[in-house]
C-alpha cells in the first residue's frame, strides 16, 4: 500500500452484527477479514453510527412508522430503521472482535437529531460535512479503500462521497455485507459503475 492510501472501516458495531438491533445478515463474518485488511494499512479510520435517542431515522420516532418503510423528509427519502446505535449503548460499541488498535481516528455520524448520515463525508442533507474530507486532504490521502457494514448503505454512500470529494475509492467487497432492502444493493452497484468506484476482493490487493 502507498502512504497516500487509507482504509475506512465503516460501522463494525454490535447493532449491525447478528443479534443486534439492525443485524446485517452474516455481518460477523467480515470481522476477521477487516482485521487482516487493516493490518496492511498504515492509515486507518473507523466510522461509528452514533444516534441520539428518538433519532429521525428510527421508525419508532414516527407515528405509524414501520422499519424498512421509506418516509419523505425535507432532505429526501429516508428509510426507517429499528432503533440502533444509540449513543452510549452496547449496540453502538465496536464489535468486540474488531482488532484495529492502530486506527487513527473515529468519525461519528448521525448525531444530529433531525438528519441521518449514512456517509462518513456528508450528512443526508447532502450539504453538512463531517470534516473527514478536509482531514484526509490535509494528510495527503489520495485513495480510500472501504470495508464494513452495510455495503449498500453506509459503505456505498461513503464510497460515492469519497469520489465526489476527489479521492479514488475502492470497495473491498468480501469485507462488506449488504442489508439489501428495496433494491438497495443493485442501486449501489449501479452507482459504483456510474461514479467510478472500484470493486475489489481482499485477495486482489498486492503488497
Ligand atoms: C447503516 C442503516 C442505518 C449502515 C446505518 O451502517 O449501513 N444502515 N444506519
Ligand atoms: Zn444509522
Amino acid at each position: 500500500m502507498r502512504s497516500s492510501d487509507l482504509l475506512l472501516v465503516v460501522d463494525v458495531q454490535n447493532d449491525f452484527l447478528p443479534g443486534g438491533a439492525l443485524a446485517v445478515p452474516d455481518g460477523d463474518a467480515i470481522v476477521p477479514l477487516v482485521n487482516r485488511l487493516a493490518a496492511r494499512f498504515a492509515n486507518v479510520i473507523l466510522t461509528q453510527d452514533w444516534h441520539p435517542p428518538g433519532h429521525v431515522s428510527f421508525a419508532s420516532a414516527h407515528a405509524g412508522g414501520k422499519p424498512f418503510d421509506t418516509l419523505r423528509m425535507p432532505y429526501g427519502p429516508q428509510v426507517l430503521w429499528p432503533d440502533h446505535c444509540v449513543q452510549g449503548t452496547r449496540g453502538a460499541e465496536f464489535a468486540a472482535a474488531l482488532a484495529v488498535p492502530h486506527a487513527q481516528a473515529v468519525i461519528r455520524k448521525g448525531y444530529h437529531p433531525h438528519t441521518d448520515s449514512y456517509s462518513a463525508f456528508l450528512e443526508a442533507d447532502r450539504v453538512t460535512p463531517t470534516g473527514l474530507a478536509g482531514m484526509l486532504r490535509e494528510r495527503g490521502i489520495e485513495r480510500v479503500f472501504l470495508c464494513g457494514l452495510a455495503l449498500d448503505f453506509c459503505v456505498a454512500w461513503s464510497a460515492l462521497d469519497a469520489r465526489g470529494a476527489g479521492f479514488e475509492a475502492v470497495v473491498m467487497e468480501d469485507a462488506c455485507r449488504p442489508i439489501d432492502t428495496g433494491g438497495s444493493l443493485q442501486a449501489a452497484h449501479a452507482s459504483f459503475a456510474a461514479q467510478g468506484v472500484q470493486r475489489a476482493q481482499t485477495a486482489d490487493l498486492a503488497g
Side-chain angles (χ1 to χ4, degrees):
M1 313 312 309
R2 311 173 196 150
S3 60
S4 55
D5 288 336
L6 176 127
L7 180 68
L8 192 64
V9 177
V10 177
D11 297 1
V12 182
Q13 295 167 258
N14 291 328
D15 269 344
F16 296 122
L17 300 187
L22 177 42
V24 179
D26 206 28
D28 52 341
I30 70 164
V31 178
L33 277 79
V34 169
N35 291 342
R36 280 200 295 277
L37 186 59
R40 302 173 61 175
F41 284 80
N43 300 311
V44 182
I45 289 181
L46 312 177
T47 73
Q48 191 172 28
D49 212 39
W50 196 248
H51 302 306
H55 188 251
V56 70
S57 74
F58 297 170
S60 63
H62 305 271
K66 289 196 299 292
F68 306 102
D69 280 356
T70 301
L71 203 68
R72 186 146 287 285
M73 299 297 298
Y75 54 76
Q78 171 71 54
V79 180
L80 298 181
W81 304 108
D83 291 24
H84 66 279
C85 297
V86 174
Q87 296 169 0
T89 63
R90 203 189 150 271
E93 289 173 14
F94 291 114
L98 184 70
V100 192
H102 62 300
Q104 298 159 334
V106 176
I107 299 293
R108 288 177 166 168
K109 59 186 181 60
Y111 46 72
H112 288 129
H114 302 293
T115 314
D116 204 3
S117 191
Y118 296 144
S119 164
F121 292 91
L122 279 183
E123 299 195 18
D125 61 6
R126 313 307 298 142
V127 294
T128 306
T130 62
L132 179 59
M135 185 193 297
L136 299 191
R137 273 185 213 122
E138 280 200 73
R139 296 186 38 194
I141 299 300
E142 296 173 353
R143 189 163 60 160
V144 179
F145 292 77
L146 300 99
C147 61
L149 305 169
L151 173 58
D152 43 347
F153 286 93
C154 291
V155 175
W157 287 52
S158 298
L160 293 164
D161 283 351
R163 291 291 297 140
F167 303 101
E168 286 183 64
V170 186
V171 171
M172 304 308 299
E173 291 192 301
D174 54 332
C176 300
R177 288 293 183 279
I179 295 175
D180 198 4
T181 179
S184 55
L185 184 57
Q186 258 198 308
H189 286 150
S191 320
F192 291 168
Q195 307 295 322
V197 171
Q198 299 170 58
R199 297 163 59 181
Q201 306 292 317
T202 53
D204 298 340
L205 277 194

